[in-house]
Amino acid sequence: MNRTVAIASILFAGITLAPFGSHVVADEQRLFGYSIESSRIERQWEEKLRAIPSLDNLRAYMQKLSTHPHHVGSPADKDNAEWIASKFKEFGLDTHIEQFDVLFPTPKERLVELVEGGPKFVAKLQEPAVYVNYGIPEDYEQLERMGVSVKGKIVIARYFHSWRGIKPKVAAEHGAVGCLIYSDPHEDGFVQGETYPAGAYRPPDGVQRGSVADMPFYPGDPLTPGVGATKDAKRLKVEDAPTITKIPVLPISYSDAQPLLAALTGRVAPEGWRGGLAITYHVGPGPAKVHLKVKSNWDIKPLYDVIGRIQGAAFPDEWVIRGNHHDGWVNGAEDPISGQVALMEEARALGELVKSGWKPKRTIIYCAWDGEEPGLLGSTEWAEQHYDELRAHAVAYINSDSNGRGYLEVAGSHTLEKFSNDIAREILDPETKSSAWKRQQLHEIANSKTAEQREEIRKRADLRIPALGSGSDYTAFLQHDGVASLNIGFGGEDNGGIYHSIYDDFYWYTHFSDTDFVYGRALAQTGGTAIMRLADADLLPFEFGNFADTVVTYLKELKTLSQKMQDDIIERNREIEDGVFNATNDPKRPLVPPSVEVVPPHLNFAPMENALDALARSAAEYRKALEQANANGGALLPSASLVEVNKMLIESERKLTNAEGLPNRPWFKHQLYAPGFYTGYGVKTVPAVREAIELKKWKLADEAIVVVARTLQDEAELISSAAAKLSRMIPRP
Ligand SMILES: [Zn+2]
C-alpha cells in the first residue's frame, strides 16, 4: 500500500487503520473502539496472549482427541467432552457440560446391489438407475431436455457443487425413490493428486459421510425445532419431523459406484457431467437395476456441549462467545480437531492472562460443541435453549471448524468487517512471514477476474468478507438468534480428499496438512486476539460504512439477476419462434424443445433503494460521531458512559432479524443472510428476495422487497440513534 492511499484511508476510516509493514505506526494508533491509553494497555495484553499457544500442546491435544472414532453416542465422544472440560477447568475457566438429547439415526442395515436381469429378484426398491451429475436443479432441467425422468428410479449423484443434503431433496422432489451419492475421483481423488496414504487425496474406497437432513429448513435436532432438546422438551414424532430426508440415501465410494455407472446405457452424459473414471458416462435410465436398502435405528442419543466462562469485570452481562465442535465422523483429526485444539490453546492463554492480572471487561464464553456433524445439533440446541439470554447478552460469536495450511479466511457479519480486518493485520502468516491480511490481499489480487476488482482490492481500506450461509456452528447464532458472527480459519494450501472419511486421522493431518501446527498456533492467535479485543473494547468495534456499502452491492446483484432472467426468457421465446431449436436439433438424438415462458414483470426495488439511502446516511452519522469522539483529546469516553451506545451496537444485528423469519422457513430469521434453500451451505444474501426471483415467484419477490426495506429502515434508525447518543456525550469545548 502506498503512502497516499494509506493516509486517505486513515482519513476515510477516521480510526485505526494500520497499513501493512508499519507496526511502529500501528503502535501509535489507537485501536478501533479504544482510547489511546486503553489501546496501549490492550496491545500489551494481546502481545502476551499471542506468545502463549504452543505447537507441542496443539499436537498433543490432537493426538489425544483423534485416537478413537468420536461421533455422537460413541464412548470417545463423551470421553473427549469430559477431557476438554477438565482442561478448561485446569486453565481457570468456570466450566460445565450441558447435555441435550437428540435424534441420531444410525444404520442397522445397508445394502446396495446391482441386479443383472433375471426374474427371480423383485424387491420394493429395485429400480432402474439414472445418473444425475451433481443432482442440483439445473441438472434436472437438462435431464428433462434429454427426455429422461427420474420418477420411480434410483439416482446416482456425485459429490460437490451443492451441499450433499440438497441431492436427495431435489431427487425426491422429482419423484426418485432412492439416492446414492459417490465421490468421483475428478473432484477429490486421483485426478487431483496422489491418494492416501501416499498422498492427500481420496482412495478408491473412501466414502464421504455426512448429514442429509433438510438443514436449510432448520438445523439441529429434527424433533425439537426452535427449542432446546432437553430431557422434558416436547418432541415431534419421527414420522412428522419435516427435515428427515424423504427417500433412502447412501454415500458410496467410487470403487462401489463404478460398476453401477458402467452398467448404465442411454444417452452419453453431457460433457460437464463426465467424471474421472475410465468409463463412458451414460445418463441411463437402466438397464442397470439397483437394489438399495437402508434400515435405521431411530435412537435418542446424548450430546455433551462443554461450556467454559471467564466472568467480565465491568460488564458481566455482555457476552463474547467463541466455539468449535469436538465431535467427528470418525477420527476427525482435521474436521474438527484441528480447530478444536487451537480453541483450547486460546482458552489456556486467556486463563494464563487472567492469572497474571488481566481482567476482561466483558464475559467470555468458550464452547466445544457436540453433534455438529449430524446437523449442527449441539450449537443449535444451546442457541435455542438460551435464546432469550443470547438475545439479551450476546455481543458476538466467533466460530472455527477445521484448520489447515494457507490463507486466513474470514466470513461473517459485515458490521464486523472492519474489526476482522484489524485482527488479520495483527497476525503473522507463519510460513511467508507477512501479515495474514497482506497475504490475503495479494491472494485476492491474483485471483481477481477484472481490473476493476483489482483496483478496489488495492484501494479499499478493508478487504471485503463473504457473508455466511451455513455449514458450521455459527448458523443458529447468526440466522436464528441474530448474533453478529464471524467464521475464521486457515486453508487453501491443504487440499485433499479425506473429508468425512476414516482417512481423516492424525497420520493424514501430520503428513499432508499443517504438519508442524504453525497454522494451528496462528488460528489460536487470531481467535484469541479477536475475543480479547471484543471483550476489552470501550466502544464495541461495530462499523456501518462497510456494511452499508456491501448491502448496496446486494441490491445491484438482485437488479442484475431479475433483469437477466427477463432478458433470457425474452431471448429464448424469440428463438423458439425463430425455429432455432428445431433447426439445430439432431434428428437422430433429439432433445425436448424448451417451452415458451411468460416474460417476468419488472420488480419495484424503490423501497430498498430508499432504505439503503437511509442506511448510508446513518452510517455516515455514526462515523462522524466516532471521529469526534476520537478527536476528543485521545481519551475516547469512559467506558461506563458508553453502556447505552454499546447496547445499541449489540442490538444492530438483532434488528436484521424478524420474528416471522423467511417466507418458506420461519426458523431462519435473518433478513440478509441465509443458506440457499437449493444450495445448502452456500449463502443467499437478501434470501427472501433473491430466492423468490430465482424461483420466478414475482409477487412474492415484490412483497419481500418491502419487508427487507422495512428491516433496513429500522436498522438505519438504530444506527442514527447510536450516532446521536455518542455525539451528545462528547464534551463541547
Ligand atoms: Zn466440522
Side-chain angles (χ1 to χ4, degrees):
M1 188 183 288
N2 68 45
R3 203 178 143 70
T4 328
V5 171
I7 290 170
S9 43
I10 288 166
L11 286 175
F12 178 66
I15 33 178
T16 169
L17 216 209
F20 164 70
S22 50
H23 279 283
V24 182
V25 179
D27 284 342
E28 285 166 7
Q29 280 175 344
R30 74 172 80 223
L31 301 173
F32 184 14
Y34 287 73
S35 70
I36 288 175
E37 178 58 9
S38 62
S39 298
R40 195 182 57 75
I41 298 167
E42 175 68 12
R43 278 190 184 285
Q44 286 172 358
W45 283 116
E46 287 183 8
E47 265 161 40
K48 280 187 191 156
L49 170 108
R50 289 195 289 272
I52 296 173
S54 128
L55 303 179
D56 290 344
N57 282 354
L58 293 163
R59 175 183 288 270
Y61 298 160
M62 178 179 281
Q63 195 150 25
K64 156 91 190 153
L65 291 170
S66 66
T67 305
H68 302 288
H70 50 99
H71 52 276
V72 170
S74 66
D77 177 70
K78 184 165 190 253
D79 283 354
N80 281 358
E82 283 167 357
W83 186 75
I84 294 168
S86 75
K87 295 306 271 186
F88 277 10
K89 281 180 194 161
E90 187 187 309
F91 303 153
L93 278 66
D94 179 7
T95 305
H96 69 279
I97 288 182
E98 200 162 327
Q99 188 182 325
F100 293 101
D101 297 284
V102 296
L103 182 71
F104 182 62
T106 47
K108 187 154 51 180
E109 200 183 335
R110 293 172 303 163
L111 179 74
V112 183
E113 274 187 319
L114 175 60
V115 189
E116 308 253 18
K120 58 183 182 240
F121 198 96
V122 187
K124 195 175 162 215
L125 281 175
Q126 181 187 318
E127 310 291 348
V130 180
Y131 175 53
V132 296
N133 194 27
Y134 299 108
I136 55 181
E138 296 94 285
D139 294 329
Y140 286 88
E141 280 170 30
Q142 281 224 50
L143 282 172
E144 211 174 296
R145 295 286 318 278
M146 292 187 270
V148 175
S149 160
V150 302
K151 214 172 223 131
K153 302 185 178 69
I154 292 171
V155 302
I156 176 161
R158 56 173 162 161
Y159 270 110
F160 286 81
H161 284 260
S162 82
W163 171 63
R164 81 182 74 73
I166 298 302
K167 299 169 196 281
K169 166 166 151 172
V170 178
E173 283 177 1
H174 286 82
V177 294
C179 179
L180 295 167
I181 314 176
Y182 81 104
S183 298
D184 196 286
H186 181 262
E187 269 72 34
D188 64 1
F190 62 76
V191 175
Q192 300 298 331
E194 299 291 341
T195 57
Y196 185 95
Y201 288 89
R202 196 177 296 274
D205 294 324
V207 179
Q208 184 191 133
R209 292 154 187 77
S211 170
V212 288
D214 192 3
M215 278 195 269
F217 192 58
Y218 62 80
D221 177 26
L223 304 185
T224 60
V227 299
T230 53
K231 284 242 170 323
D232 51 1
K234 255 185 116 175
R235 287 180 163 75
L236 298 174
K237 282 194 224 138
V238 172
E239 53 271 32
D240 295 336
T243 58
I244 295 175
T245 312
K246 308 288 177 286
I247 56 175
V249 194
L250 277 183
I252 57 174
S253 66
Y254 73 76
S255 71
D256 279 346
Q258 180 153 357
L260 305 180
L261 290 165
L264 290 178
T265 59
R267 205 182 271 270
V268 172
E271 197 176 336
W273 291 36
R274 300 170 202 163
L277 296 170
I279 55 168
T280 301
Y281 286 70
H282 288 87
V283 170
K289 285 198 173 184
V290 173
H291 176 204
L292 167 64
K293 190 171 173 187
V294 184
K295 268 192 176 172
S296 300
N297 297 302
W298 297 94
D299 295 334
I300 301 283
K301 289 277 163 70
L303 291 182
Y304 306 101
D305 287 343
V306 185
I307 311 289
R309 225 177 225 269
I310 299 174
Q311 183 82 350
F315 312 113
D317 289 338
E318 292 177 10
W319 301 351
V320 179
I321 309 167
R322 173 83 172 93
N324 195 108
H325 68 102
H326 67 74
D327 69 303
W329 271 120
V330 195
N331 295 69
E334 181 200 48
D335 184 5
I337 299 304
S338 59
Q340 183 61 40
V341 297
L343 177 141
M344 288 179 66
E345 273 301 85
E346 284 171 51
R348 185 176 72 85
L350 294 175
E352 294 279 310
L353 297 189
V354 170
K355 283 172 201 158
S356 51
W358 173 61
K359 290 192 179 70
K361 287 196 178 78
R362 300 185 174 80
T363 294
I364 294 171
I365 304 178
Y366 266 64
C367 312
W369 307 117
D370 199 353
E372 190 268 357
E373 296 296 4
L376 317 176
L377 305 176
S379 57
T380 301
E381 297 314 313
W382 196 80
E384 289 176 343
Q385 177 67 14
H386 300 283
Y387 179 82
D388 292 336
E389 292 161 273
L390 288 165
R391 296 278 294 186
H393 304 304
V395 171
Y397 173 69
I398 299 181
N399 189 71
S400 57
D401 197 323
S402 309
N403 193 57
R405 287 181 64 238
Y407 304 91
L408 174 58
E409 292 158 353
V410 181
S413 299
H414 291 98
T415 52
L416 292 176
E417 182 176 284
K418 176 169 288 302
F419 167 75
S420 72
N421 271 262
D422 286 348
I423 300 299
R425 288 185 181 95
E426 303 284 354
I427 305 303
L428 198 70
D429 179 83
E431 291 187 2
T432 66
K433 311 294 179 199
S434 81
S435 85
W437 186 90
K438 187 66 189 175
R439 195 165 183 232
Q440 178 60 17
Q441 186 209 24
L442 297 176
H443 183 220
E444 286 182 17
I445 290 171
N447 288 338
S448 293
K449 293 202 174 59
T450 66
E452 198 187 349
Q453 282 173 352
R454 284 189 288 275
E455 206 48 21
E456 184 190 271
I457 296 164
R458 290 189 175 107
K459 287 194 172 151
R460 195 171 185 265
D462 298 306
L463 298 175
R464 292 185 184 277
I465 59 171
L468 286 173
S470 185
S472 192
D473 293 306
Y474 48 78
T475 305
F477 289 92
L478 180 63
Q479 323 279 9
H480 189 66
D481 292 359
V483 176
S485 300
L486 291 174
N487 189 58
I488 58 174
F490 288 84
E493 293 173 328
D494 57 348
N495 291 341
I498 46 75
Y499 175 65
H500 287 188
S501 79
I502 199 168
Y503 307 107
D504 176 3
D505 61 6
F506 187 73
Y507 176 91
W508 183 89
Y509 196 80
T510 52
H511 284 79
F512 303 114
S513 187
D514 181 21
T515 53
D516 48 7
F517 290 88
V518 289
Y519 283 96
R521 179 167 62 191
L523 179 60
Q525 291 167 334
T526 308
T529 303
I531 290 294
M532 284 186 82
R533 201 169 286 184
L534 284 166
D536 286 338
D538 298 312
L539 184 68
L540 287 168
F542 287 84
E543 200 275 342
F544 304 102
N546 287 4
F547 168 68
D549 169 56
T550 300
V551 186
V552 168
T553 66
Y554 296 157
L555 176 62
K556 274 192 201 138
E557 287 169 13
L558 293 172
K559 286 180 172 173
T560 308
L561 176 68
S562 71
Q563 186 63 54
K564 187 174 180 313
M565 291 191 66
Q566 220 176 37
D567 293 347
D568 287 354
I569 290 173
I570 290 170
E571 172 62 24
R572 196 163 58 224
N573 288 352
R574 213 175 142 185
E575 288 180 16
I576 293 168
E577 205 172 299
D578 290 345
V580 168
F581 292 98
N582 290 337
T584 58
N585 210 0
D586 180 343
K588 292 198 172 155
R589 270 183 295 261
L591 293 174
V592 179
S595 40
V596 174
E597 259 189 80
V598 181
V599 177
H602 289 284
L603 296 175
N604 178 17
F605 286 105
M608 248 184 103
E609 275 161 356
N610 291 326
L612 284 175
D613 285 351
L615 196 65
R617 276 197 303 275
S618 69
E621 286 164 21
Y622 187 77
R623 179 168 281 172
K624 193 166 161 229
L626 206 55
E627 279 167 17
Q628 288 169 346
N630 277 326
N632 182 32
L636 195 59
L637 292 159
S639 58
S641 68
L642 292 169
V643 170
E644 290 303 311
V645 182
N646 280 333
K647 272 204 179 117
M648 290 172 156
L649 295 174
I650 291 171
E651 194 59 24
S652 67
E653 197 79 17
R654 310 287 189 273
K655 273 268 186 265
L656 297 172
T657 63
N658 68 21
E660 298 75 34
L662 297 179
N664 57 339
R665 36 182 175 156
W667 188 92
F668 284 90
K669 310 231 175 269
H670 208 293
Q671 296 300 305
L672 290 186
Y673 319 123
F677 199 64
Y678 284 105
T679 51
Y681 286 167
V683 65
K684 293 282 176 183
T685 54
V686 200
V689 180
R690 194 181 299 264
E691 293 192 323
I693 296 172
E694 287 171 350
L695 297 172
K696 302 177 182 173
K697 295 180 175 170
W698 313 111
K699 188 167 165 283
L700 200 67
D702 262 332
E703 288 164 8
I705 289 170
V706 174
V707 174
V708 173
R710 203 184 313 124
T711 307
L712 293 173
Q713 289 280 7
D714 289 351
E715 178 79 356
E717 245 169 67
L718 177 75
I719 297 167
S720 284
S721 314
K725 188 147 244 158
L726 189 59
S727 73
R728 268 203 304 279
M729 286 178 342
I730 299 160
R732 301 278 174 245

